[in-house]
Each structure stands twice: as C-alpha cells, then as structure tokens.
Amino acid sequence: MRGADAIVKALEKEGVKHIFGIPGGAIIEVYDALFDSEIRHILTRHEQAAVHAADGYARATGRTGVAFATSGPGATNTVTGIATAYMDSSPIVVMTGQVARSLIGNDAFQEADITGITMPITKHNYLVTDENDLLRIVKEAFHIASTGRPGPVLIDLPKDVTVAEVEFDYPDKIELPGYKPKYAGHPRQIKKAAELITKAERPVILAGGGVVLSNASEELTKLAETIPAYVATSLMGKGAIPETHPLSLGFVGMHGSKYANYAVQEADVLIAVGIRFSDRTTGRVSDFAPNAKIIHIDIDPAEIGKNVDVDVPIVGDAKLVLRELIKHITYRKRKEWEEKVEGWRKAYPLRYRQDEKIKPQYVIEKIWELAPDAIITTEVGQNQMWAAQYFKVNRPRQFITSGGLGTMGFGFPAAMGAKTAFPDKQVVDIAGDGSFLMNIQELATCVDYGINVKVVILNNMFLGMVRQWQELFYDERYSATCLRCKEMSFEKIAEGFGAVGMTVEKPSEVEDALKEAFEIDAPVVIDFRVDRLENVYPMVPAGAALHEVIDEEV
C-alpha cells in the first residue's frame, strides 16, 4: 500500500479518533488516504489553531492529540502550537508534509526545515528518509509523546515517502535503548521524605501540572489529608485537588492568593510534586520558601535542582511515588499552623470592588455558579489570571491554559479540541478581546462542525495585562496597548460567521446572558464590556519575593 495509506492505518491502530489540520500539496496523499478512514478530520482555518486544538484535546482527555499540516508555511505555522505544548508537557503528534527527498535542501517551493526549526521545542522529531522506517517511526512517536514526561513529537513526511509502496507491518512494541523513563521512586528517598514530613510543624504541598498529567489527584488529596498539609498549586496544577477542599489554598505565585503565598513562604517542609518551579510560581528564587526543607518529586530528572535547590529529590511518576509515600505517613494535627493559615485566609480573601460597571471577576464567579463542571479554557493575560483566581476547579483536566509559553490565541482552539472530545460537556473559553482576535477565524470551524463552545470575552479594549504593567511600573505610559481604534462589535463578527453573538453592558444582565448562552445549541460569543481599568490583584511584582504582595484597597 502507499505510505499514506499505511500512515492512516497506523493512526487507526493507535486509536486516533480525531485529527485537526489543513491539507496542502505535500501532504495531499495522506489526506487522500484519510478520505476512506473513520477518523474524523476537523478542518481548521489556521495550522496554529489545529495544533492548539490537538493540544486542548490531549489535555482534556489524557490521550495523544494529532495535528496535520503541509510543508513550508503550513509547517512553520505549527511552531507556536508545538512550543505551547512543549512548555506544558502536552502529548501531541504533529505530522507535516515535506517536499520530495530529492528536493530537500534545494529551496524548493514550500520547503522549510521544520525538523531543524522545531528541534528545541519538541520532545523528539523525525524526518522520514526511508519509507521502510515509516511505521516504526509512527509507533515511536506515539510512545515518546505519551510516556515519561509527555510532550510533542513531530514527523516530517517527504511527499515521495507518502506515495512509496510499503508493507503494512505495524510493530506491537518498540525498544528505544536511550529512552527509559523512570517511574518508581527510590525507596530510600521516599523514606527520607517521610521522615521530614513527620517532623514538620508547617508542611505545605505544592502541586504542579505533573500531578494532573500522571492522574495522581486522588493520591495527592489522600496525602494532604493524611499528613494533614495545606495544598497550593501552580497555574498548571489547578485541579490537582478540588479547590473547594478545606486544605486547598488555590494557586500560588504572581497572582496567587496572599494566603497561599504566605503559607509557602512560612512552610518548614515543602512537598513539591510534578512542578518545575517556574519564575511565575516562585517569585524571586533566592527568597522562595526560605524556611523550608524542599522535597521535589518529578518524573523528569532534568527538573531536579534546575531552578530551586532541593533537599530530598525523588525522580519518579507522581502517582506511584505518592502511593508509596502515603504508606510512611501518620496523621498528626498541627493546630498552631492551622490557625495561622486560616487566619490568613480570613484576613486576605480574594476580593474586588463592585460598582456600576461589569467587573470581570464577577463574570467568572457567575460562570462558576452556573456551570461549575464546565471545562474551562483560557486565553492569556488578565482574563487568564481572573479565571484562575475565581473559577474553583473541581477535578483534573477541567482547567486548560497556556501556562509556560503564555500563548495568546490558545484558549479558543483549545476549547474546540476539548469540545470535540467531550461534545456533551459545557466548554467555555474565558478570553480577552486581544487574545480572542488572534484565532477568531476558528469561529468558522466551530460553526461548520457544530463545535458549540461558548466564548466569554472580558472586553476591556486593551491588551489588559500589559496596560496594567504600564500603569503600575511605567508611569501610565500606555504605549500600544489600546485596542479601541474604532468601535468593534464581536456580536456582529460572530453573526457574520454564523455563530450567535451577544453584547452585555450592565452587571444586571450578566447572569441572564450566561444562562441563555449555556442553553443555546450553537457556538456563542458573549462580549462583556467590562471595567476597562480593572487590574488583577493581588500581584507580586516581577523580581519580588512571594510575600512582597501589592493589593488594592476594597
């Protein structure tokens, strides 16, 4: 059979149900083979959106997402999506078309060295130079993407490989001598960690996205309850423990709650699980958790000691390590510490000033009240931080956001991916006007395929987070952040694509608008005209320590 037919058959063997992409000349053979497959292809309007959709699909399901693009600009358009998935350890396989092998290096039409371009932002990538390696490579790609620390894998397919004759002999298993992820933690290190925890008077768990990726939420919650210990999360760790749980402190870092930040800073033992200690989480590293002995559990040994010095490193899968760790822990109540943290929680709740304008925080509170089980995706900027602060996540894979790369334009196509995987669930993209404009063309995709996501735009007509920094740190010199050159109607734009558009300008209209949108069986865009100058608080300025928080008077 043709190489193209073998690729599609291999994808079927891997259990692929959906692919997001755009065809082109170099990958046209694969699309021809796909025509006869039961795999559902979603034709996006931009390759970046195709990769974000595959990424959202992967994050919502835990299964590997798949995206297709053609050569040259099709391939290079995938780069931001791949980098986004790489930074957040999301398992996706991206297949790109390439010019024929004889033309590679000749600056042929729509030729780009996509394996060279994506080398630093993929877990692994392949240029298929021999059709006889094709099926082995597909098998390896899915294995590498989804095992160990997950991540994106790219396969570049020269056109003549896809037309070459191959025998379909798909391997059942593979052997990669240089790739042996370590899952079980070392027993001696686990015992050391348990000894530290047992002696601790102020233990705090800091959970990252690795807990979600390894499906270790149940074990993490059990550990927290067994010690007991309060749990703060990174942005990517939201959902590691239900945020309505009495031990949950929400997320920590630049816009985390004061009580979460204070608890981390005052902890005497910090149990960090599946987290890479990004600068947005730690604040000034030299003053991060200054009183704590740090236990770091992570499947990627390269993360141990990379950003923060640790006292007890444990390399292994979060789920397996936590299961073992729990066996060594005995419950001991720490009344004084509990009273201190609860005092902070009472003294410094998340809050905002309410007046006659629509407050973005209020919109998110209402989304949570009306649809607490919805899958939430976010764009990037103020909208992302308000969503993280005010939407209380109940389960892993419910909150999908671009944490590492901070990609504006991610949330909407990621919502498409999540909704494709779970058509019966409510999926809401919480967006800013600036971010939504970066992939707004995907409204056409949603309408065409009946992907009925709801887009909630917190429209302040600014690139809001940059404007906030300009207000606070650049003497209100608002350079190139105002988006209101002319009045623009997202309602009419949505209607132009065939979606439902709504505009809301009063606080009294917010709840009814959301109720109506959630009942509509179609893609809906709600343009909430929010207070233009609202800022995200609390805030730890860049370069400050976690306890050096600025806040507004309410």
Side-chain angles (χ1 to χ4, degrees), residues 157-180:
L157 301 163
K159 184 177 174 69
D160 56 329
V161 168
T162 67
V163 300
E165 286 295 313
V166 300
E167 182 181 348
F168 189 80
D169 183 15
Y170 198 59
D172 293 327
K173 58 182 181 180
I174 53 169
E175 186 65 29
L176 294 170
Y179 179 69
K180 303 286 184 189

Short mmCIF file of all heavy atoms in Angstrom, two decimals, residues 157-180:
data_model
loop_
_atom_site.label_atom_id
_atom_site.label_comp_id
_atom_site.label_asym_id
_atom_site.label_seq_id
_atom_site.Cartn_x
_atom_site.Cartn_y
_atom_site.Cartn_z
N LEU A 157 7.09 14.36 6.69
CA LEU A 157 6.83 13.31 5.69
C LEU A 157 7.11 13.81 4.29
O LEU A 157 6.28 14.51 3.69
CB LEU A 157 5.36 12.88 5.78
CG LEU A 157 4.89 12.33 7.13
CD1 LEU A 157 3.36 12.36 7.21
CD2 LEU A 157 5.41 10.91 7.31
N PRO A 158 8.28 13.47 3.72
CA PRO A 158 8.51 13.84 2.32
C PRO A 158 7.42 13.26 1.43
O PRO A 158 6.96 12.12 1.63
CB PRO A 158 9.88 13.21 2.02
CG PRO A 158 10.55 13.14 3.35
CD PRO A 158 9.45 12.83 4.33
N LYS A 159 7.04 14.01 0.43
CA LYS A 159 5.91 13.61 -0.41
C LYS A 159 6.13 12.26 -1.07
O LYS A 159 5.20 11.44 -1.16
CB LYS A 159 5.66 14.69 -1.47
CG LYS A 159 4.44 14.44 -2.35
CD LYS A 159 4.24 15.59 -3.32
CE LYS A 159 3.13 15.27 -4.30
NZ LYS A 159 1.80 15.24 -3.68
N ASP A 160 7.35 12.00 -1.50
CA ASP A 160 7.58 10.73 -2.20
C ASP A 160 7.56 9.54 -1.22
O ASP A 160 7.33 8.41 -1.64
CB ASP A 160 8.88 10.76 -2.99
CG ASP A 160 10.09 11.10 -2.14
OD1 ASP A 160 9.95 11.85 -1.16
OD2 ASP A 160 11.19 10.61 -2.44
N VAL A 161 7.75 9.79 0.06
CA VAL A 161 7.59 8.71 1.05
C VAL A 161 6.12 8.32 1.16
O VAL A 161 5.78 7.14 1.30
CB VAL A 161 8.13 9.15 2.43
CG1 VAL A 161 7.71 8.17 3.52
CG2 VAL A 161 9.66 9.25 2.38
N THR A 162 5.24 9.31 1.07
CA THR A 162 3.81 9.02 1.21
C THR A 162 3.23 8.30 0.00
O THR A 162 2.17 7.69 0.09
CB THR A 162 3.00 10.30 1.48
OG1 THR A 162 3.04 11.15 0.33
CG2 THR A 162 3.52 11.04 2.69
N VAL A 163 3.94 8.36 -1.14
CA VAL A 163 3.44 7.64 -2.33
C VAL A 163 4.20 6.32 -2.55
O VAL A 163 3.76 5.49 -3.36
CB VAL A 163 3.53 8.50 -3.60
CG1 VAL A 163 2.70 9.76 -3.45
CG2 VAL A 163 4.98 8.85 -3.94
N ALA A 164 5.30 6.15 -1.83
CA ALA A 164 6.09 4.92 -1.99
C ALA A 164 5.31 3.71 -1.47
O ALA A 164 4.49 3.82 -0.57
CB ALA A 164 7.41 5.05 -1.23
N GLU A 165 5.57 2.56 -2.06
CA GLU A 165 4.92 1.33 -1.63
C GLU A 165 5.58 0.80 -0.34
O GLU A 165 6.81 0.72 -0.27
CB GLU A 165 5.01 0.26 -2.72
CG GLU A 165 4.07 0.52 -3.89
CD GLU A 165 2.60 0.43 -3.47
OE1 GLU A 165 2.23 -0.55 -2.78
OE2 GLU A 165 1.82 1.33 -3.82
N VAL A 166 4.78 0.47 0.65
CA VAL A 166 5.31 -0.12 1.87
C VAL A 166 4.44 -1.31 2.26
O VAL A 166 3.26 -1.39 1.90
CB VAL A 166 5.33 0.89 3.05
CG1 VAL A 166 6.18 2.09 2.74
CG2 VAL A 166 3.93 1.33 3.42
N GLU A 167 5.03 -2.22 2.99
CA GLU A 167 4.28 -3.35 3.53
C GLU A 167 3.77 -2.97 4.92
O GLU A 167 4.55 -2.48 5.75
CB GLU A 167 5.18 -4.57 3.63
CG GLU A 167 4.45 -5.81 4.15
CD GLU A 167 5.38 -7.02 4.25
OE1 GLU A 167 6.51 -6.94 3.72
OE2 GLU A 167 4.98 -8.01 4.88
N PHE A 168 2.48 -3.16 5.16
CA PHE A 168 1.96 -2.75 6.46
C PHE A 168 2.23 -3.82 7.51
O PHE A 168 1.58 -4.86 7.56
CB PHE A 168 0.46 -2.48 6.41
CG PHE A 168 -0.06 -1.85 7.68
CD1 PHE A 168 0.10 -0.49 7.91
CD2 PHE A 168 -0.63 -2.62 8.67
CE1 PHE A 168 -0.32 0.10 9.10
CE2 PHE A 168 -1.07 -2.05 9.87
CZ PHE A 168 -0.91 -0.69 10.07
N ASP A 169 3.24 -3.58 8.29
CA ASP A 169 3.61 -4.49 9.38
C ASP A 169 3.85 -3.62 10.61
O ASP A 169 4.98 -3.28 10.95
CB ASP A 169 4.87 -5.27 8.99
CG ASP A 169 5.24 -6.29 10.07
OD1 ASP A 169 4.39 -6.57 10.94
OD2 ASP A 169 6.39 -6.78 10.06
N TYR A 170 2.74 -3.25 11.27
CA TYR A 170 2.85 -2.27 12.35
C TYR A 170 3.36 -2.96 13.62
O TYR A 170 2.80 -3.97 14.06
CB TYR A 170 1.47 -1.65 12.63
CG TYR A 170 1.55 -0.36 13.41
CD1 TYR A 170 2.27 0.72 12.91
CD2 TYR A 170 0.92 -0.22 14.63
CE1 TYR A 170 2.35 1.90 13.61
CE2 TYR A 170 0.99 0.96 15.35
CZ TYR A 170 1.72 2.03 14.84
OH TYR A 170 1.81 3.21 15.54
N PRO A 171 4.43 -2.44 14.20
CA PRO A 171 5.02 -3.11 15.38
C PRO A 171 4.08 -3.05 16.59
O PRO A 171 3.40 -2.06 16.81
CB PRO A 171 6.31 -2.31 15.63
CG PRO A 171 6.12 -1.02 14.94
CD PRO A 171 5.19 -1.25 13.80
N ASP A 172 4.06 -4.13 17.35
CA ASP A 172 3.26 -4.16 18.58
C ASP A 172 3.95 -3.40 19.71
O ASP A 172 3.31 -2.82 20.57
CB ASP A 172 3.02 -5.61 19.03
CG ASP A 172 2.13 -6.35 18.05
OD1 ASP A 172 1.24 -5.70 17.46
OD2 ASP A 172 2.34 -7.56 17.86
N LYS A 173 5.26 -3.47 19.72
CA LYS A 173 6.01 -2.75 20.75
C LYS A 173 7.33 -2.29 20.15
O LYS A 173 7.73 -2.72 19.07
CB LYS A 173 6.26 -3.64 21.96
CG LYS A 173 7.01 -4.93 21.66
CD LYS A 173 7.16 -5.76 22.94
CE LYS A 173 7.93 -7.05 22.63
NZ LYS A 173 8.09 -7.88 23.85
N ILE A 174 7.97 -1.42 20.87
CA ILE A 174 9.22 -0.87 20.37
C ILE A 174 10.27 -0.92 21.47
O ILE A 174 9.96 -1.04 22.65
CB ILE A 174 9.05 0.59 19.91
CG1 ILE A 174 8.43 1.40 21.04
CG2 ILE A 174 8.25 0.67 18.63
CD1 ILE A 174 8.47 2.85 20.79
N GLU A 175 11.50 -0.80 21.07
CA GLU A 175 12.61 -0.79 22.01
C GLU A 175 13.49 0.41 21.68
O GLU A 175 14.04 0.52 20.60
CB GLU A 175 13.42 -2.08 21.87
CG GLU A 175 14.52 -2.24 22.91
CD GLU A 175 14.00 -2.37 24.33
OE1 GLU A 175 12.88 -2.87 24.51
OE2 GLU A 175 14.73 -1.96 25.24
N LEU A 176 13.55 1.34 22.62
CA LEU A 176 14.37 2.53 22.44
C LEU A 176 15.46 2.52 23.50
O LEU A 176 15.22 2.90 24.65
CB LEU A 176 13.52 3.79 22.55
CG LEU A 176 12.47 3.98 21.45
CD1 LEU A 176 11.52 5.11 21.80
CD2 LEU A 176 13.15 4.26 20.13
N PRO A 177 16.65 2.08 23.17
CA PRO A 177 17.71 1.90 24.17
C PRO A 177 18.02 3.18 24.96
O PRO A 177 18.34 3.12 26.15
CB PRO A 177 18.92 1.47 23.33
CG PRO A 177 18.33 0.89 22.08
CD PRO A 177 17.08 1.66 21.82
N GLY A 178 17.91 4.33 24.34
CA GLY A 178 18.27 5.58 25.04
C GLY A 178 17.12 6.25 25.72
O GLY A 178 17.26 7.38 26.22
N TYR A 179 15.98 5.58 25.77
CA TYR A 179 14.79 6.23 26.34
C TYR A 179 14.12 5.29 27.32
O TYR A 179 13.39 4.38 26.92
CB TYR A 179 13.83 6.61 25.21
CG TYR A 179 12.54 7.27 25.70
CD1 TYR A 179 12.56 8.54 26.24
CD2 TYR A 179 11.33 6.59 25.60
CE1 TYR A 179 11.40 9.14 26.70
CE2 TYR A 179 10.15 7.19 26.04
CZ TYR A 179 10.19 8.45 26.58
OH TYR A 179 9.04 9.03 27.03
N LYS A 180 14.42 5.45 28.59
CA LYS A 180 13.86 4.59 29.63
C LYS A 180 13.35 5.47 30.78
O LYS A 180 14.04 5.69 31.78
CB LYS A 180 14.94 3.65 30.18
CG LYS A 180 15.62 2.76 29.13
CD LYS A 180 14.70 1.63 28.69
CE LYS A 180 15.44 0.70 27.71
NZ LYS A 180 14.52 -0.28 27.09
#
